[in-house]
Amino acid sequence: MAGRVRRFQVVAEACRALPAGETVTLDGPEVRARQARLTGPRPVRGDVPFTFGSGNTTLLRWAGAHADVVALSGLGRTLPDGHMHEPRWNAADIDRQIDLIEQGAAGRSTAPAREALVQMVEVTDDAEAAAHRMAGQLNCSPADVLASPYAWVGTAREIAAALDEHRRRWGITRYVVREPHLDAVDRLRACFPSPS
C-alpha cells in the first residue's frame, strides 16, 4: 500500500508540473520518466485546475496541501473481489476525510474546493423507501444514504436542502454525477430557476 500511495503522489506531482511547462524526470521504483514535457497546446491559457480524489489518509492530506479540488467518492477499502469497495457514507467517515483535507490545507491562502461523486440519484416522494432499498445494496444505513453527498434522494426540494447541508457541514460545492443518473439531474435542474 505504501508503494501505491507514493506512486499516486509522484504521478500527481508530474500531472501538475507538465501543464505548467516544466520538464519532468522521475526515477523511482514505482514510476519512471525521462525529460517528459508537454509540447502542445502552447501556450496554456490560465492554470489547469488540479483535481485529486482519494479516500487514503496520506493522500487526502497531500491533496489538501496541493490540489485545487479534492474529490470524495464514498469508497473505502477494496473488497476481496477486487472491484467492489466498502462504503464510507456515514457522516463520521466524511467528517474525518474533511478534517484530513483541512490538515493538509493549513497555511494555504486558498483552500481547495471540495467535490463529491454522486453515485445514485432518485427523485421520489418516498425518500425513506428509496434510502432503505439503496442501503441494502450498499450495506449501510438508510440514514447514511439520506445524509451523504453520494446519493441524491427525495423530492427536488429535499435534494436541494441536502445539498445546502453538504455545503454548510463539509464545504462541498461541486459534484460529479455518474452517467446513468444524468437524466435525473437534468430533471432536477429544471425544477429550479437559473441564477441571474
Side-chain angles (χ1 to χ4, degrees):
M1 180 62 138
R4 207 167 122 194
V5 168
R6 274 194 313 274
R7 183 172 56 248
F8 275 125
Q9 284 177 292
V10 167
V11 169
E13 288 168 3
C15 288
R16 285 183 53 139
L18 289 168
E22 297 176 30
T23 300
V24 175
T25 296
L26 306 172
D27 190 16
E30 290 88 19
V31 180
R32 288 186 181 81
R34 300 270 186 254
Q35 300 295 308
R37 185 173 175 84
L38 289 179
T39 57
R42 283 284 174 235
V44 173
R45 296 186 184 169
D47 291 335
V48 176
F50 179 64
T51 302
F52 194 85
S54 179
N56 177 276
T57 299
T58 300
L59 293 176
L60 281 171
R61 272 196 208 101
W62 183 90
H66 300 283
D68 298 306
V69 180
V70 180
L72 301 172
S73 65
L75 302 177
R77 291 194 173 127
T78 305
L79 296 175
D81 70 2
H83 299 285
M84 301 298 288
H85 296 82
E86 292 176 351
R88 286 202 180 142
W89 285 36
N90 74 48
D93 282 331
I94 300 167
D95 287 341
R96 276 191 294 277
Q97 291 181 331
I98 294 299
D99 186 54
L100 291 166
I101 295 166
E102 289 175 353
Q103 288 173 28
R108 285 183 66 172
S109 60
T110 304
R114 295 168 193 170
E115 177 179 280
L117 173 63
V118 180
Q119 301 182 38
M120 299 175 169
V121 178
E122 187 168 334
V123 181
T124 176
D125 289 333
D126 193 350
E128 289 289 332
H132 274 278
R133 187 177 63 259
M134 291 176 184
Q137 296 168 357
L138 295 164
N139 195 27
C140 65
S141 76
D144 290 343
V145 171
L146 291 172
S148 87
Y150 312 119
W152 294 355
V153 184
T155 64
R157 291 203 183 286
E158 288 169 334
I159 292 170
L163 298 183
D164 282 342
E165 177 61 13
H166 303 155
R167 180 190 45 73
R168 185 199 63 76
R169 181 170 183 174
W170 296 308
I172 296 170
T173 57
R174 300 167 52 116
Y175 293 90
V176 173
V177 179
R178 290 193 183 266
E179 186 177 5
H181 303 290
L182 292 178
D183 287 343
V185 171
D186 285 341
R187 289 193 306 275
L188 282 170
R189 289 174 58 181
C191 294
F192 298 100
S194 297
S196 44

